[in-house]
Amino acid sequence: MELERIPFNPRQLLAELLDIFRPPARGKNLAVLADIDAAVPENLVGDPKRLRQIIAGLLSNAIKYTQNGHISIRLQATATPGLIQASIKDTGIGISKPAQDTLFTAFSQADMATPHPFGGIDLNLASCAHLTRMMGGRIWVDSEPGQGATFHFTFLSWQSPPQQTAPLPTHTDNTAALAHLRLLLVEDDLLNRTIAGKLIAKIGIKPDTANDGLQALVQVGQNTYDIILMDMQMPNMDGLTATRHIRAMGHIHQPYIIALTGNALDEDAQACKAAGMDDFLSKPINTNTLFAKLLHYAAASQPHVP
């Protein structure tokens, strides 16, 4: 996996993420606050896609494991030229010191031996740690049980000259082209499912939903879908296995299947293709990218045959 090196506006990036995460936070009566140090340049060069993935993963965990209070995110410049620090703070359940030692280890949970009421820490922290290292930084946490947690990470970037930013595309003129689409969203995580559902609704589609691959097979057997957005990692049956079963259903109208993955690695793309998927979207889902892919497949002139 190679990093991009393109211009982006960190304030705009953060504003877009807040638009996504504030609604589910409000559903739990949580405030989400943001602050960007004036010393952080308006225009940076780096990999905004990976940066968005890291912040989204940390915000998602903060909302999930905070039952009251607030969540805050801060971007600030450091004494090292080009090194930016981000901090995501919550008033949640906190993390014990022993658990912090393995928090960023792949496929480990912070409290596996003694489950707490909210199910441990998401496995995507290992991915966050990997991405921060790729971006020339590191990730760490300050926390005490019952006193919330603050996740910090740093990343290298370069200041770019001011960009002539084109206005964001609007979806108004094209929503009619998508109104007929029958879409199934398959995602086991309630927060991720809620966020994705809101994004899909914003572009004029009301999706059906399934919590895992097994439920998806039931839905596909009972309904006809044009497009399926399929999470890769789910309990009971993962997205790749579900896709293989769907492709084996020769008697049904075959939908386009787009994978939802937090790890946009080459091997993931190859696994998706081998299972019979048509495309993939990286989490967190970007509204404009989703819209473009839906338009592309909606314009397909023939029913899909794998």
Side-chain angles (χ1 to χ4, degrees), residues 71-135:
I71 295 153
S72 63
I73 177 169
R74 175 173 171 77
L75 295 183
Q76 60 187 9
T78 69
T80 302
L83 192 69
I84 306 295
Q85 178 174 320
S87 300
I88 292 88
K89 181 178 182 180
D90 65 57
T91 55
I93 57 179
I95 306 165
S96 68
K97 292 297 183 184
Q100 293 176 33
D101 293 338
T102 59
L103 197 57
F104 303 107
T105 303
F107 307 114
S108 70
Q109 278 189 294
D111 205 5
M112 190 174 290
T114 309
H116 56 59
F118 308 110
I121 298 297
D122 273 3
L123 300 181
N124 63 13
L125 290 176
S127 296
C128 290
H130 175 66
L131 290 174
T132 55
R133 288 192 296 269
M134 289 187 64
M135 297 173 70

Side-chain angles (χ1 to χ4, degrees), residues 2-13 16 41-52 135 155-163 165 286 289:
E2 294 184 1
L3 293 177
E4 290 186 315
R5 190 167 175 174
I6 59 175
F8 70 96
N9 184 318
R11 288 164 177 80
Q12 180 178 321
L13 182 149
E16 292 171 353
E42 288 287 337
N43 299 284
L44 296 174
V45 172
D47 193 327
K49 179 179 178 181
R50 308 303 178 194
L51 179 59
R52 188 181 290 111
M135 297 173 70
F155 62 95
L156 281 173
S157 61
W158 297 264
Q159 187 169 359
S160 71
Q163 303 292 315
T165 305
N286 178 277
T289 303

Side-chain angles (χ1 to χ4, degrees), residues 16 20 52 199 281-292:
E16 292 171 353
I20 294 173
R52 188 181 290 111
L199 290 179
L281 277 169
S282 297
K283 297 180 183 179
I285 300 173
N286 178 277
T287 308
N288 291 326
T289 303
L290 171 64
F291 189 72

Side-chain angles (χ1 to χ4, degrees), residues 148-300:
T150 304
F151 284 84
H152 310 273
F153 72 91
T154 55
F155 62 95
L156 281 173
S157 61
W158 297 264
Q159 187 169 359
S160 71
Q163 303 292 315
Q164 292 294 327
T165 305
L168 290 174
T170 61
H171 305 145
T172 307
D173 296 336
N174 292 306
T175 50
L178 302 179
H180 69 284
L181 284 182
R182 294 154 296 182
L183 189 147
L184 176 64
L185 170 63
V186 188
E187 167 65 70
D188 66 299
D189 184 275
L190 176 59
L191 178 61
N192 290 341
R193 193 165 63 247
T194 301
I195 292 171
K198 288 182 180 294
L199 290 179
I200 295 166
K202 283 177 64 176
I203 56 180
I205 301 172
K206 184 178 180 181
D208 290 343
T209 60
N211 297 342
D212 57 36
L214 286 176
Q215 287 192 15
L217 294 183
V218 174
Q219 294 277 68
V220 170
Q222 296 176 347
N223 304 282
T224 299
Y225 294 105
D226 300 300
I227 296 175
I228 298 176
L229 299 180
M230 181 81 75
D231 188 28
M232 293 274 284
Q233 297 179 343
M234 296 178 289
N236 301 321
M237 182 182 289
D238 62 68
L240 295 177
T241 303
T243 297
R244 294 187 189 99
H245 282 291
I246 292 170
R247 294 309 188 211
M249 296 178 177
H251 63 286
I252 68 166
H253 166 85
Q254 283 291 331
Y256 291 99
I257 301 179
I258 302 174
L260 302 178
T261 175
N263 302 308
L265 304 176
D266 290 341
E267 51 264 37
D268 289 321
Q270 293 171 6
C272 292
K273 184 176 180 180
M277 292 179 168
D278 300 283
D279 210 333
F280 69 91
L281 277 169
S282 297
K283 297 180 183 179
I285 300 173
N286 178 277
T287 308
N288 291 326
T289 303
L290 171 64
F291 189 72
K293 288 187 183 294
L294 294 182
L295 276 178
H296 170 75
Y297 290 111

